[in-house]
């Protein structure tokens, strides 16, 4: 069907002709003859500038017809078998032909030059499908189908600094201006209602449209040629053949790549220089330096001298330069690099050729950053690199920080930034234009900070809206200027984080008090502790109800009062673990037991009582029986109580005494400096200590003779001589006169001691008033008194305890009579041994 006249259509026939028909007529309008064999396919040209149709036949020929003049315009030859399908592409200036030889050939629609041949190995080609508004092409084969994309997705669009946009729609150039728009009514991401004006038809099919830096000229590239027009009236200024075209930073300079080995440089539309790069030229890039991509990487050349500045081993997809020429972005297929150009180092190297290597000047560039993102399109505004990425996100990079401006709903391409509007403009492949707000003051501030121009930054800051201050503060923080970020930020959360990082306790305290956040109080407490501000740390921990932190602080400081208060607070707050530990550290075991009981941890309370408070076992076991009996009555009754089953609790009575002994210890306050001399609790064995204490008391109560035998009555004598007061090696025991008689009567041999005491008192009434504070004086006096006694005759001492000397001798004789010497084995004894005789 003819796209220009839906009432006419064309048909192909094996009779070697193409006929054009009118709807409603049985006769063809006309017949086109020229093929030598049957015609298999026919298609109309969809553009409005040419009345063409195309046909393919078994003669392996493709013919292009002018259906108005009824003549053959061009014949395309190259296929090796029958032509099965032909098509004019609706968007691109190409013709597609498919053949039974398995290939698809792509021809230029204007020059009819063969551009490329596709062969996917799927046997014969039978059909080619195209879609208006898309660069996609579907191919049908014997063994399957395949979908390919042709041409550039990026539209041929360009915008100058004043907001004038020029784009190509097929071969037509159109213009639109942003000046007439009401900027206040523009919404982010909405399509702009632009007034479009036709500028005229282009002699080449535009693949790229690009303004020069000052916006006075625009270049159109396509079909291996370039044409430079004036941007206002589209007057032809210059033209020539070129595979690629790039502008220099100087608007009057540009370069073209004529082939893979030749580059030409122009100035003021006149050829200035032609040179051939050492490793060839696959692509070229404009900007402050001329970039040439080759198999060896990316080489930068000076525009004036064509000298190699630096060769970098990288395969770039595109290169973007900032307006000042100081910053450069090299984008590859999967990442991009931000570089800083060191013009001073390059100038110094020019005067010292020794610093120039075969790869150029090593210090020419400094790498500022690398980001693993794919750049679709990009541009520089100041020191900020704005770009769209492969996931349709609009970002900008500044100082190592990436800021997302917007998430796009489709693929968009950057056109430019208008500072007066504070807006960024983008276009899509359907030539729709949208915009997003991006404040110039924010970009200027960030640029000034990057250049360390803080005077300018301070002047710009008041123009930054308050809602943007936090974004600026994050940027400052990223650059290491946390103090300035704290002053700029308007977000309380961010300010608190900065205050903590800076160690600003006053600011952090104020913010924590305003937010009343438990987490903030904990962070502030940690900071205060690190700065030895323990009072503030304690207050913060109280505000945060962090009982665990308070316990750590109190124990580290050795503050018993604080531990006691904490135990009470934790108990009231239901923090039984902290409360228990607090009282346990203070030695208040009774309170620890009550905490276990009130928190219904009765089994733990039973074991705790068994370990520390055996006197409470019976009470706790009774409660345990009740609790366990609710689950299993038999199990509850099986719990043993020491008062009923003493045999199951060995040393139970001793443990009660140990409890009393240790309870007295807990009442004493031990200085912290004595910790090295005190045995740890886990090393102590209270029952053994109790037994040792009892043995020590018995040793203290006994007085031994020179053969370590206890001397009966000697203790009473010593007490009488000292008035009941004497001092042992370990401790001093005081006995009141009123209790003296009672105490003596309870000791073994008390009566004999009383008699002896009386005798001593009668004989030594002149010495009673003397003080015997020295152990040596006491022993000396005791020896004198014993010497005065007649041991050979019965005396008061002989009858002490009711046992006389005669009784002892009689008992000894009885033992000797009962001794049977015959029962003693003396076989191993040598009676002649002198040593034995001496013994």
């Amino acid at each position: 069907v003819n796209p220009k006249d839906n009432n006419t259509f064309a048909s192909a026939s094996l009779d070697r002709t193409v006929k054009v028909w009118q709807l409603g007529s049985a006769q063809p309008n006309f017949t086109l003859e020229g093929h030598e064999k049957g015609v298999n396919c026919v298609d109309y040209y969809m553009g409005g500038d040419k009345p063409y149709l195309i046909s393919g036949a078994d003669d392996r020929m493709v013919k292009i017809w002018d259906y108005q003049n009824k003549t053959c315009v061009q014949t395309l030859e190259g296929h090796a078998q029958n032509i099965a399908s032909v098509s004019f592409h609706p968007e691109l200036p190409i013709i597609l032909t498919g053949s039974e030889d398995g290939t698809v050939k792509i021809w230029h629609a204007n020059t009819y030059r063969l551009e490329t041949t596709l062969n996917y190995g799927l046997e014969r080609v039978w059909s080619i499908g195209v879609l208006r508004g898309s660069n996609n092409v579907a191919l049908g084969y014997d063994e399957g189908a395949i979908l390919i994309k042709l041409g550039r997705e990026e539209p041929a669009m360009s915008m100058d600094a004043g907001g004038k946009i020029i784009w190509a729609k097929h071969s037509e150039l159109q213009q639109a201006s942003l000046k007439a728009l009401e900027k206040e009514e523009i919404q982010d991401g909405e399509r702009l209602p632009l007034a479009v004006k036709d500028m005229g038809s282009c002699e080449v099919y535009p693949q790229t449209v690009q303004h020069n830096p000052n916006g006075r000229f625009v270049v159109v590239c396509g079909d291996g040629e370039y044409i430079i027009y004036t941007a206002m009236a589209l007057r032809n200024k210059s033209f020539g053949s070129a595979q690629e075209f790039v502008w220099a930073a100087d608007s009057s300079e540009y370069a073209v790549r004529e082939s893979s080995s030749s580059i030409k440089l122009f100035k003021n539309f006149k050829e200035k220089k032609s040179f051939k790069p050492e490793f060839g030229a696959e692509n070229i890039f404009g900007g402050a330096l001329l970039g040439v991509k080759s198999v060896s990487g990316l080489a930068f050349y000076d525009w004036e001298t064509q000298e190699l500045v630096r060769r970098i081993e990288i395969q770039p997809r595109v290169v973007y330069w900032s307006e000042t020429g100081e910053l450069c972005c090299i984008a590859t297929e999967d990442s991009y690099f931000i570089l800083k150009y060191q013009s001073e180092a390059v100038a110094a190297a020019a005067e010292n050729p020794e610093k120039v290597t075969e790869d150029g000047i090593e210090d020419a560039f400094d790498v500022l950053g690398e980001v693993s993102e794919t750049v679709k399109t990009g541009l520089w505004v100041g020191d900020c690199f704005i770009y769209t990425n492969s996931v349709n996100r609009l970002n900008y990079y500044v100082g190592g920080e990436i800021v997302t401006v917007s998430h796009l709903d489709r693929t968009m391409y950057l056109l430019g930034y208008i500072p007066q509007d504070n807006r960024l403009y983008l276009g899509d492949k359907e030539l729709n234009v949208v915009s997003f707000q991006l404040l110039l003051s924010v970009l200027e501030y960030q640029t000034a900070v990057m250049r360390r121009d803080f005077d300018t930054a301070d002047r710009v800051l008041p123009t930054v809206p308050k809602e943007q201050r936090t974004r600026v503060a994050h940027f400052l923080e990223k650059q290491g200027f946390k103090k300035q970020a704290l002053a700029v930020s308007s977000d309380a959360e961010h300010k608190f984080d900065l205050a903590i990082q800076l160690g600003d306790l006053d600011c952090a305290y104020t913010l924590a008090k305003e937010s009343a956040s438990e987490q903030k109080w904990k962070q502030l407490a940690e900071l205060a502790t690190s700065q030895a501000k323990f009072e503030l740390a304690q207050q913060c921990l109280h505000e945060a109800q962090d009982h665990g932190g308070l316990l750590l602080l109190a124990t580290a400081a050795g503050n018993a009062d604080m531990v006691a208060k904490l135990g009470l607070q934790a108990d009231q707050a239901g923090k039984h673990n902290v409360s228990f530990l607090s009282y346990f550290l203070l030695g208040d075991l009774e309170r620890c037991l009550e905490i276990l009981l009130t928190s219904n941890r009765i089994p733990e309370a039973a074991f705790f009582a068994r370990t520390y408070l055996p006197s409470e076992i019976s009470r706790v076991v009774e409660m345990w029986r009740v609790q366990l009996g609710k689950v299993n009555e038999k199990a509850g009754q099986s719990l043993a109580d020491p008062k009923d089953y003493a045999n199951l609790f060995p040393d139970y009575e001793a443990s009660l005494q140990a409890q009393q002994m240790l309870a007295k210890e807990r009442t004493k306050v031990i200085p912290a400096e004595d910790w090295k001399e005190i045995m740890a609790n886990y090393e102590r064995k209270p029952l053994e200590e109790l037994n040792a204490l009892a043995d020590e008391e018995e040793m203290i109560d006994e007085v031994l003779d020179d053969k370590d035998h206890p001397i009966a009555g000697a203790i009473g004598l010593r007490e009488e001589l000292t008035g009941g007061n004497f001092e042992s090696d370990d401790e001093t025991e005081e006995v009141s006169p009123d209790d003296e008689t009672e105490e003596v009567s309870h000791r073994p041999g008390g009566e004999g001691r009383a008699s002896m005491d009386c005798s001593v008192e009668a004989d030594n009434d002149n010495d009673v008033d003397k003080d015997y504070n020295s152990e040596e004086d006491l022993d000396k006096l005791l020896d004198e008194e014993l010497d005065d006694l007649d041991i050979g005759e019965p005396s008061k001492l002989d009858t002490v305890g009711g046992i006389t000397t005669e009784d002892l001798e009689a008992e000894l004789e009885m033992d000797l009579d009962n001794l049977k010497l015959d029962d003693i084995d003396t076989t191993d004894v040598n009676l002649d041994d002198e040593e034995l005789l001496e013994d």
Side-chain angles (χ1 to χ4, degrees), residues 780-794:
K780 184 177 180 181
L781 179 63
L782 182 61
D783 292 339
E784 292 175 357
E785 295 296 332
L786 291 175
D787 290 340
D788 292 340
L789 297 176
D790 187 1
I791 303 300
E793 299 177 1

Side-chain angles (χ1 to χ4, degrees), residues 85 167 205 258 273 292 295 307 331 364 367 466 566 583 586 706 741:
S85 181
W167 63 65
Y205 187 88
E258 288 189 328
K273 184 73 174 178
V292 179
V295 292
E307 294 290 336
V367 179
K466 290 185 177 180
L566 176 62
Y583 286 120
L586 294 171
D706 57 351
T741 304

Side-chain angles (χ1 to χ4, degrees), residues 749-770:
E751 295 177 1
R753 292 177 185 174
S755 301
M756 182 185 71
D757 292 342
C758 294
S759 174
V760 172
E761 182 177 1
D763 295 338
N764 299 284
D765 54 356
N766 295 326
D767 298 329
V768 172
D769 296 332
K770 295 181 179 180

Side-chain angles (χ1 to χ4, degrees), residues 341-394:
Y341 176 55
Q342 302 289 354
S343 57
E344 295 179 357
V346 174
E351 300 175 359
N352 188 0
E354 294 180 357
K355 293 185 177 181
V356 181
T357 66
E358 62 179 6
D359 289 332
I361 304 166
E362 292 186 2
D363 298 333
F365 290 94
D366 290 335
V367 179
L368 301 182
E370 177 186 358
V371 180
S372 297
E373 274 192 285
T374 300
V375 175
K376 299 284 285 186
T377 56
L379 58 88
W380 286 91
V381 177
D383 288 359
C384 303
F385 178 65
I386 307 172
Y387 64 96
T388 57
N389 63 14
S390 56
V391 293
N392 295 333
R393 192 173 295 166
L394 179 60

